[in-house]
Amino acid sequence: MTSITYTGVLVVGAGPAGLTLAADLLRRNVSVRLIDQAGSPAPTSRATSLTPRTLEVLDDLGIAQELLDTGIRIRTAEAYQGQNRAFRLTFPETGQTRYPFLLNNSQRQTEDLMTVRVRALGGTVERERRLIGLRQDRKGVVALIDGPAGPEEIHAKWLIGADGGRSTVRNTLGIPFEGKTGTLEETIVLGDVHIDWNLPSDRLYSWFNEDGALLAFPFREPGRWRITAALSPAEEADGRLIEDSIERFTELYQRRTGDTTSRLTDMQGFSVYRVNQRVVDHYRRGRVVLMGDAAHVHTPAGGLGMNTGIQDAYSLGWRLAIAVQRGDDTAIESYERERRPVALALLSSTGNLQRLWSIRDRRVQHVRDSALQIVLNLGPVRRAFFAGAGQLNVTYRARSRIGRRSGPRVGDRIPDVRVAHGNTEQSWLHEHLRGTQPVLIVLAGDRISNRGVDDRLTALAHDAQRRSVTLLYVEAPGVDHAERGGVTTVVDTHGDLHRRFHARTARSIVVRPDKHIAAISTAHDPAILALAESLTHRPETMSEFPRRA
């Protein structure tokens, strides 16, 4: 007999994207079911690095510190031709994030910590539960699920496909997955091995020769490295190097690096795959939404696949909360409009990086490496490269208009800068933006032009509280700190925020729940709070959706 249950959101797929969305919805008190057809998490994976932007997301969800404790921070990348170093890149301190590094960790470890967080928020991962059909009606989605306990019919207001590149949700809906497999003509092999070398484990390494490239990524376990390499056509045709064999993997390593003395042992998670470049035309059909690899897949160059899926989920979560709790479907419309261009840009940038990485002509490699050595040591270029690699420059700006001055704009991520709370306590701006609701930041500007601000702030604070909007007042540096009008107040320690927003006079900034800017205006624009209120959700009670019927 088929049981019938109800929920606000059904998430299909318990990888990093699905787990992120479930955690985000649970902390917003949205009822959610998270199912996965696998009996357990995959023991190995292709994904390793977490970008600074993803770490900011996971900090907001409450698990960044645990990841920092188990991962390894990468601040340097080195490239070699045999034993000769071709170039070195050190990530700069940008002053825009408290995470100026990549964090290397296994996807399994990341998923385990996310699962713990989901459970702490009252959720669970329902394994061995397979989607076998769905239909939509005016109330939402009806999904037919099969599993060890028998069939179940789940009625959900929204269904989210987070079930990977071979997505059952996407295929069930017949949504085209445009692109090609092997468009870059690359076959990738990877494995996690123990290496008895003495290279520092706080950086990434790459080697290039006429056969192709090999990259090495460190893990926290001493001596454990992720090795990944692109095979040449001759190597692929030969077939020996795609065998799950430590001897063959060692042979590949020695060919690429010229290192015949280091010993590779204890290989785990060996896999072979072709490079994929695909993206769906639309992320949504009715009350079904796609995210992560179900919506886009691309070359592993840059290591941004898992990160982009997590950020898809973070972008979708607050919108779903509004849609479920306020019945406002328009909140979902901007998700595709904002996230699909990010995926398309990622396909382009990682494809170009893969081509750069895949150069096999030694003379062209030498020209490439010499140019990179010069260009990447230029401060502005190095900072721009890190902002891109770290996904700090992802923006949802409208079309640029000539003549607009520089600085953050609507759609940009709000920079994370140093602030002081109290007389000595130093923190970062994003620490004061944590949570599920939008934040109205008021920059004080020139203190002289803002005399008598306390009364206005008190009135603004009362109005913000009534509208479920958090208010944060940011003083310019050099101002004696005081709680103004009962409003949480911090000092812009180095004046970075005021300088970037050209805030000589008071300014107001509405920050969305995903930490992107929704509006920039004068400090006392009466429309600013109404806009902020439109980004809030009204928590439901879980009992609105009985689990069994």
Side-chain angles (χ1 to χ4, degrees):
M1 180 178 178
T2 302
S3 62
I4 300 175
T5 60
Y6 299 83
T7 191
V9 179
L10 172 62
V11 181
V12 180
L19 288 162
T20 298
L21 182 61
D24 199 19
L25 292 173
L26 286 165
R27 70 183 184 139
R28 298 173 190 278
N29 207 30
V30 175
S31 60
V32 59
R33 298 276 297 276
L34 175 61
I35 66 170
D36 196 285
Q37 65 180 4
S40 62
T44 58
S45 68
R46 299 173 191 169
T48 55
S49 299
L50 295 172
T51 65
R53 179 60 184 143
T54 297
L55 288 170
E56 291 177 350
V57 169
L58 298 178
D59 172 75
D60 190 34
L61 295 178
I63 63 170
Q65 189 56 54
E66 288 88 345
L67 286 163
L68 292 171
D69 292 341
T70 57
I72 189 163
R73 304 177 191 198
I74 306 296
R75 300 177 186 269
T76 302
E78 295 184 354
Y80 288 82
Q81 294 270 3
Q83 300 296 302
N84 300 315
R85 191 170 75 191
F87 63 88
R88 177 180 180 179
L89 172 66
T90 299
F91 301 145
E93 293 280 353
T94 65
Q96 291 194 52
T97 179
R98 80 198 101 144
Y99 304 116
F101 48 80
L102 299 176
L103 186 74
N104 226 51
N105 213 334
S106 71
Q107 182 174 325
R108 176 62 185 271
Q109 181 68 39
T110 300
E111 288 183 8
D112 286 348
L113 289 170
M114 287 179 166
T115 301
V116 170
R117 183 60 178 152
V118 166
R119 289 172 179 162
L121 291 166
T124 186
V125 178
E126 302 177 41
R127 295 206 168 272
E128 298 183 90
R129 307 283 283 159
R130 184 169 60 94
L131 176 73
I132 58 176
L134 67 87
R135 68 179 188 274
Q136 300 193 57
D137 58 29
R138 61 184 180 82
K139 293 183 178 179
V141 184
V142 179
L144 185 59
I145 309 298
D146 198 12
E152 179 184 1
E153 192 175 271
I154 300 178
H155 293 243
K157 291 186 175 181
W158 292 86
L159 186 148
I160 311 302
D163 49 342
R166 299 178 180 178
S167 171
T168 299
V169 174
R170 186 189 65 239
N171 292 333
T172 299
L173 292 175
I175 296 176
F177 205 23
E178 299 296 335
K180 294 181 180 179
T181 299
T183 51
L184 299 176
E185 300 181 353
E186 293 286 354
T187 293
I188 307 295
V189 298
L190 65 84
D192 297 343
V193 296
H194 189 278
I195 309 179
D196 64 350
W197 61 16
N198 59 359
L199 291 178
S201 61
D202 62 347
R203 58 200 66 184
L204 306 178
Y205 297 94
S206 56
W207 287 265
F208 302 94
N209 67 10
E210 63 274 8
D211 289 323
L214 180 143
L215 281 73
F217 304 81
F219 288 115
R220 190 66 172 263
E221 177 188 343
R224 176 67 62 184
W225 293 76
R226 160 70 54 83
I227 301 295
T228 180
L231 299 183
S232 69
E235 289 171 333
E236 185 178 355
D238 177 77
R240 293 185 312 118
L241 296 180
I242 61 175
E243 298 175 10
D244 186 355
S245 160
I246 188 64
E247 291 77 21
R248 296 286 180 262
F249 205 67
T250 300
E251 178 185 345
L252 174 63
Y253 167 81
Q254 292 177 346
R255 281 189 186 184
R256 293 290 194 276
T257 66
D259 174 14
T260 59
T261 59
S262 298
R263 185 165 173 259
L264 278 63
T265 57
D266 189 23
M267 184 165 68
Q268 302 172 3
F270 178 82
S271 65
V272 182
Y273 62 95
R274 294 283 283 175
V275 170
N276 259 302
Q277 294 274 90
R278 297 176 184 272
V279 65
V280 294
D281 284 338
H282 296 287
Y283 279 35
R284 175 189 174 191
R285 181 168 292 177
R287 293 291 191 92
V288 180
V289 182
L290 301 176
M291 66 178 189
D293 286 354
H296 49 80
V297 294
H298 48 82
T299 165
L304 300 180
M306 176 177 67
N307 291 278
T308 304
I310 289 171
Q311 292 169 40
D312 281 349
Y314 191 59
S315 178
L316 182 58
W318 65 274
R319 293 178 164 95
L320 276 173
I322 292 174
V324 171
Q325 296 169 346
R326 291 169 44 183
D328 184 1
D329 289 8
T330 60
I332 305 296
E333 293 175 0
S334 58
Y335 166 70
E336 175 185 316
R337 187 168 65 247
E338 291 184 349
R339 294 302 298 175
R340 189 170 184 273
V342 172
L344 291 172
L346 187 63
L347 261 65
S348 175
S349 64
T350 57
N352 291 335
L353 187 59
Q354 183 84 24
R355 294 181 184 93
L356 193 65
W357 174 33
S358 302
I359 292 172
R360 292 189 167 90
D361 186 296
R362 296 299 291 266
R363 292 169 299 179
V364 180
Q365 285 180 349
H366 178 72
V367 172
R368 174 200 62 196
D369 296 343
S370 298
L372 289 174
Q373 178 67 42
I374 295 170
V375 172
L376 291 177
N377 277 308
L378 299 174
V381 174
R382 196 156 54 99
R383 287 190 294 272
F385 177 83
F386 176 73
Q391 298 182 293
L392 299 174
N393 63 352
V394 170
T395 181
Y396 308 132
R397 288 184 185 186
R399 187 184 299 271
S400 298
R401 285 178 282 174
I402 296 174
R404 291 196 60 173
R405 63 183 177 181
S406 63
R409 301 183 194 172
V410 171
D412 290 353
R413 159 191 165 273
I414 186 81
D416 195 12
V417 300
R418 288 277 190 180
V419 295
H421 186 263
N423 293 324
T424 59
E425 184 182 349
Q426 292 289 322
S427 59
W428 288 85
L429 177 66
H430 280 209
E431 294 180 72
H432 299 274
L433 305 182
R434 290 173 179 148
T436 63
Q437 300 289 14
V439 177
L440 174 60
I441 297 175
V442 177
L443 299 181
D446 184 343
R447 181 172 44 150
I448 296 175
S449 65
N450 286 282
R451 290 175 179 171
V453 74
D454 286 5
D455 290 342
R456 295 197 299 271
L457 271 179
T458 299
L460 188 62
H462 288 160
D463 197 10
Q465 185 177 27
R466 180 177 61 83
R467 297 172 184 263
S468 299
V469 175
T470 301
L471 180 63
L472 179 68
Y473 187 66
V474 182
E475 292 269 22
V479 175
D480 292 335
H481 171 77
E483 290 293 331
R484 299 187 178 275
V487 176
T488 299
T489 305
V490 297
V491 176
D492 186 3
T493 305
H494 303 296
D496 290 339
L497 208 59
H498 281 75
R499 183 167 53 254
R500 288 172 181 168
F501 282 93
H502 307 283
R504 293 296 304 274
T505 58
R507 306 291 297 276
S508 289
I509 307 160
V510 176
V511 181
R512 304 185 331 189
D514 60 359
K515 313 307 178 274
H516 282 259
I517 299 168
I520 304 171
S521 186
T522 59
H524 305 293
D525 181 348
I528 203 82
L529 267 178
L531 187 149
E533 184 181 19
S534 71
L535 304 175
T536 64
H537 63 276
R538 297 289 187 264
E540 64 176 346
T541 58
M542 293 288 192
S543 59
E544 181 181 341
F545 301 103
R547 290 186 59 84
R548 300 288 173 192

